[in-house]
Amino acid sequence: MATKTYQIGVEATMEVIGGKWKSIILCHLRQQPMRTSELERAIPQISQKMLVQQLRELEAANVIKRHVYQEVPPHVDYQLTDYGQSLSSVLHSLCVWGESNIDRRREQGEDIDLLHRDDL
Amino acid sequence: MATKTYQIGVEATMEVIGGKWKSIILCHLRQQPMRTSELERAIPQISQKMLVQQLRELEAANVIKRHVYQEVPPHVDYQLTDYGQSLSSVLHSLCVWGESNIDRRREQGEDIDLLHRDDL
DNA sequence: TGGGATACCCACCAAAAAGTAAGTATGGAT
DNA sequence: ATCCATACTTACTTTTTGGTGGGTATCCCA
């Protein structure tokens, strides 16, 4: 079997949280468990297909856990695993830097808006 | 002019450091200024085209600076701007989490290798 | 005259990621 | 019988990203 080789740690991190949607999903789940429909509302630009696909990949990477409530209509939520919690400070710093980036660009005259700041 | 709207700060961060290569390039530049050929050696999987393209985008985002030495043969290097430096702790935490992710996977029996740890 | 070194740039093509729109399944309420 | 809500799933298309192989420019040196 071939050995998988990384040059530098960040490569492995980006396999887990990289891509257009994963870090956004994780930042939301960092604050509280959320069900599919809540995530759809929190991330209005995402398609249902991408949301489900990204959730499956995050589950496979063991950073989130899918919890099914035995109810009708169906009720499912997603939350960080303990391992996913270990990403919490990384995710927080990603949010905070983005906020400062937005502030800076706004000061330079860009017409730019941020709806939710990360408070925790 | 349309207002650009972000839901959450991490979206803006990922515009700057997202994609397959940008965070890797930045992690290398975090340690010291590097010239094109050094970056090529440090990131052996990247093609010349992608390297140049990503460097241009990082320059446009104002996180790195291109420095031309007036010499023959040509000599150029890239370094973080002051603003790029503000990403330093984010980049470091991305490297460190990746390292722990690799360690964990190795403990679980994966055949996996990491060449360079982030020491600073 | 032409080769070496460095740092590109460009045209073209392939692969991967993402978007769209529709369909499936469950069981309760009307 | 039909509809509702939720949480998917699938087929198909478009967009984005990445790869290949070439070419340009400079000046020195043999």
Side-chain angles (χ1 to χ4, degrees):
Chain A
M1 171 177 49
T3 300
K4 169 123 202 189
T5 298
Y6 296 95
Q7 301 283 324
I8 193 172
V10 66
E11 292 170 33
T13 306
M14 292 315 251
E15 280 186 5
V16 175
I17 69 165
K20 188 164 171 183
W21 301 114
K22 294 210 180 83
S23 59
I24 299 175
I25 292 169
L26 290 173
C27 282
H28 284 290
L29 292 181
R30 197 173 78 82
Q31 323 229 357
Q32 77 274 165
M34 290 173 79
R35 49 194 299 186
T36 316
S37 54
E38 292 176 313
L39 284 166
E40 282 179 31
R41 268 193 300 282
I43 314 171
Q45 322 95 293
I46 201 174
S47 67
Q48 208 173 33
K49 174 192 135 176
M50 288 311 295
L51 177 58
V52 174
Q53 184 179 308
Q54 302 302 306
L55 288 169
R56 293 293 166 274
E57 291 177 17
L58 290 169
E59 229 187 317
N62 211 12
V63 292
I64 69 170
K65 188 169 47 192
R66 182 170 185 268
H67 180 193
V68 181
Y69 297 82
Q70 282 305 350
E71 290 176 11
V72 166
H75 183 171
V76 175
D77 75 17
Y78 295 90
Q79 49 196 288
L80 297 186
T81 58
D82 289 345
Y83 192 54
Q85 299 281 357
S86 72
L87 272 168
S88 191
S89 69
V90 176
L91 295 169
H92 181 64
S93 67
L94 289 172
C95 281
V96 169
W97 192 87
E99 290 163 12
S100 75
N101 176 273
I102 289 168
D103 291 341
R104 180 168 181 274
R105 287 159 62 191
R106 193 183 291 116
E107 277 160 25
Q108 290 176 359
E110 257 187 82
D111 185 10
I112 186 176
D113 203 8
L114 172 62
L115 300 187
H116 307 295
R117 288 186 181 258
D118 195 65
D119 296 319
L120 279 68
Chain B
M1 171 178 49
T3 300
K4 170 122 201 188
T5 299
Y6 296 95
Q7 300 283 323
I8 193 171
V10 67
E11 292 170 32
T13 305
M14 292 315 250
E15 279 186 6
V16 176
I17 68 165
K20 187 165 170 183
W21 303 113
K22 295 210 180 84
S23 58
I24 299 175
I25 292 169
L26 291 173
C27 283
H28 284 290
L29 293 180
R30 197 172 78 82
Q31 324 227 356
Q32 76 275 165
M34 291 173 80
R35 49 194 300 186
T36 317
S37 54
E38 291 176 314
L39 284 165
E40 282 179 30
R41 267 194 301 282
I43 314 173
Q45 324 94 296
I46 201 172
S47 67
Q48 205 174 37
K49 174 189 136 178
M50 288 310 296
L51 178 58
V52 175
Q53 183 180 308
Q54 303 302 305
L55 288 169
R56 294 292 166 274
E57 291 177 17
L58 290 169
E59 230 187 315
N62 211 12
V63 292
I64 68 169
K65 189 167 48 193
R66 182 171 185 266
H67 181 192
V68 181
Y69 298 83
Q70 281 305 352
E71 291 176 9
V72 165
H75 182 170
V76 174
D77 76 16
Y78 295 91
Q79 48 196 287
L80 297 186
T81 60
D82 289 345
Y83 192 56
Q85 299 281 356
S86 72
L87 271 169
S88 190
S89 68
V90 175
L91 295 168
H92 181 64
S93 67
L94 289 172
C95 281
V96 170
W97 192 86
E99 289 163 12
S100 74
N101 175 274
I102 289 168
D103 292 340
R104 180 168 182 273
R105 288 158 62 191
R106 194 183 292 115
E107 278 161 23
Q108 290 176 358
E110 256 186 83
D111 185 9
I112 185 176
D113 203 8
L114 171 63
L115 301 187
H116 307 294
R117 290 187 178 256
D118 195 65
D119 296 319
L120 279 69

